[in-house]
Amino acid sequence: MILLDGKKTSQELKEEIAAEVTAMRQQGQKVPHLAAVIVGNDGASLTYVSSKVRSCEQVGFESTLVRLPEDTTQEDLLKEVAALNANEAIDGYIVQLPLPAHLDEEEVLLAIDPKKDVDGFHPTNFGRMALELESFIPATPFGIMQLLERYKVDTSGKHAVVIGRSHIVGRPISILLSQKGDFANATVTVAHSRTKDLKALLNQADIIVSALGVPNFVKADMVKPGAVVIDVGITRVEDASRPKGYRIVGDVDFEQVAEKASYITPVPGGVGPMTIAMLLKNTLLARRRAQS
Ligand code: NAD
């Protein structure tokens, strides 16, 4: 079994990005600038956003954190989005989801300039990705594709079963795996909450991508010997023995499944760190595209 080490791979990616930024600085070019908008005080969202901002600093990007109060109106949030669209200093930005319940996420995402949409959630980017045109690929599926590429995992003609059909993970990764190209060309089945006999389906899979968010859902008896197992799930489970009072658990019963898999991602330290690295990659791409 080979561990698909997202911590190590994301570190390598960050070093490559940092080297490019250093060269940009030396050539007197503008360095990438990422902004992140967060509305309210949700603990997990604040943690994610601060680690995104910290990562920008690590690679030499400029970063701006826009913190808005919980009771921000839709109109005020849209004004903020319009200001970021117009601000030439900002190359890319994200609006951290989920937004408080009174706000309309779809309207906000649609208002983001696709050229600055480094999360790749705007329909223009999603459509362009599906058509294999230049776009921003959502960071989590982009990170999975990078892991497969960097570990040279053979995906061509393999049967991939993706569990989950969300717009940010399941659906885009199913499109990317089925596209023409190296480390793609897979035959993809998308499973979801209405899928019948998932166990039988998973037992036929050469590649499993699990993105449903149920701890230890994928057990060893669901996995074919030699399968490639990508665990996207991140669930906080209460654990009084940990300093934070919780631990992070994936969708896959790692101990058991690792014994059968050819490649497997751990949680934490697999897909999670890759997601942040790919957000940085998208921001660098946004700067390069603005430049040319
Ligand atoms: P979501 O909650 O939007 O969707 C879950 C999907 O799972 C749905 O499409 C649903 O149909 C499917 N599903 C639910 N029960 C099922 C069942 N019994 N059998 C088959 N399919 C079932 O999911 P999401 O936003 O894609 O997130 C999924 C998980 O990935 C969560 O744990 C989330 O925290 C995690 N996540 C991790 C990263 C990362 O960086 N590693 C990024 C995004 C999401």
Side-chain angles (χ1 to χ4, degrees):
M1 180 275 292
I2 295 172
L3 197 70
L4 295 170
D5 187 339
K7 203 168 163 194
K8 179 167 145 270
T9 308
S10 66
Q11 198 49 45
E12 287 163 8
L13 263 155
K14 283 187 195 169
E15 282 163 20
E16 290 164 21
I17 295 170
E20 269 199 62
V21 175
T22 304
M24 286 168 116
R25 247 185 235 286
Q26 282 166 353
Q27 288 159 20
Q29 294 170 7
K30 179 186 176 311
V31 300
H33 188 157
L34 176 75
V37 181
I38 177 149
V39 185
N41 302 306
D42 177 70
S45 295
L46 280 167
T47 309
Y48 289 140
V49 162
S50 1
S51 81
K52 287 169 188 173
V53 169
R54 240 190 347 265
S55 299
C56 283
E57 287 159 12
Q58 281 171 6
V59 297
F61 285 6
E62 307 272 351
S63 65
T64 299
L65 180 60
V66 182
R67 278 198 73 171
L68 300 174
E70 183 81 29
D71 60 358
T72 300
T73 64
Q74 182 77 4
E75 197 189 347
D76 283 347
L77 181 54
L78 289 172
K79 270 189 202 152
E80 192 60 55
V81 165
L84 288 166
N85 285 343
N87 185 343
E88 285 182 10
I90 306 286
D91 298 299
Y93 68 96
I94 58 161
V95 177
Q96 184 67 38
L97 302 178
L99 291 170
H102 68 280
L103 296 170
D104 179 348
E105 269 180 18
E106 197 182 327
E107 191 184 21
V108 173
L109 293 181
L110 279 169
I112 296 174
D113 179 348
K115 292 194 192 69
K116 295 190 176 188
D117 168 41
V118 285
D119 258 340
F121 294 163
H122 192 285
T124 296
N125 277 314
F126 202 96
R128 292 182 64 88
M129 175 195 71
L131 295 169
E132 299 176 56
L133 300 169
E134 184 179 273
S135 68
F136 292 112
I137 298 172
T140 302
F142 197 8
I144 296 170
M145 296 307 283
Q146 270 290 308
L147 270 179
L148 294 173
E149 186 174 333
R150 293 205 176 212
Y151 279 86
K152 300 194 168 26
V153 177
D154 181 17
T155 54
S156 184
K158 306 286 181 188
H159 182 200
V161 176
V162 175
I163 315 175
R165 55 181 163 187
S166 75
H167 296 168
I168 61 168
V169 190
R171 185 73 66 198
I173 192 67
S174 69
I175 294 170
L176 293 169
L177 283 169
S178 70
Q179 283 180 337
K180 274 188 198 160
D182 296 336
F183 311 105
N185 283 333
T187 304
V188 180
T189 303
V190 182
H192 44 77
S193 51
R194 303 290 177 92
T195 296
K196 293 203 172 78
D197 205 356
L198 182 60
K199 185 175 167 183
L201 200 56
L202 289 176
N203 266 301
Q204 295 167 26
D206 304 306
I207 301 166
I208 296 173
V209 179
S210 185
L212 79 156
V214 177
N216 298 322
F217 179 89
V218 179
K219 306 279 186 206
D221 65 356
M222 300 175 177
V223 178
K224 190 166 95 169
V228 176
V229 181
I230 310 284
D231 188 353
V232 187
I234 295 183
T235 308
R236 283 184 180 196
V237 173
E238 273 185 39
D239 185 343
S241 71
R242 302 290 172 105
K244 288 181 178 163
Y246 66 85
R247 68 195 149 88
I248 299 294
V249 181
D251 287 352
V252 176
D253 186 341
F254 184 87
E255 300 291 319
Q256 284 183 27
V257 173
E259 287 178 16
K260 287 181 96 177
S262 56
Y263 295 86
I264 188 166
T265 59
V267 176
V271 176
M274 291 302 291
T275 298
I276 294 197
M278 299 326 282
L279 175 67
L280 299 175
K281 181 88 182 164
N282 275 342
T283 308
L284 178 62
L285 284 172
R287 173 86 291 269
R288 293 267 185 231
R289 287 175 192 165
Q291 213 171 22
S292 61

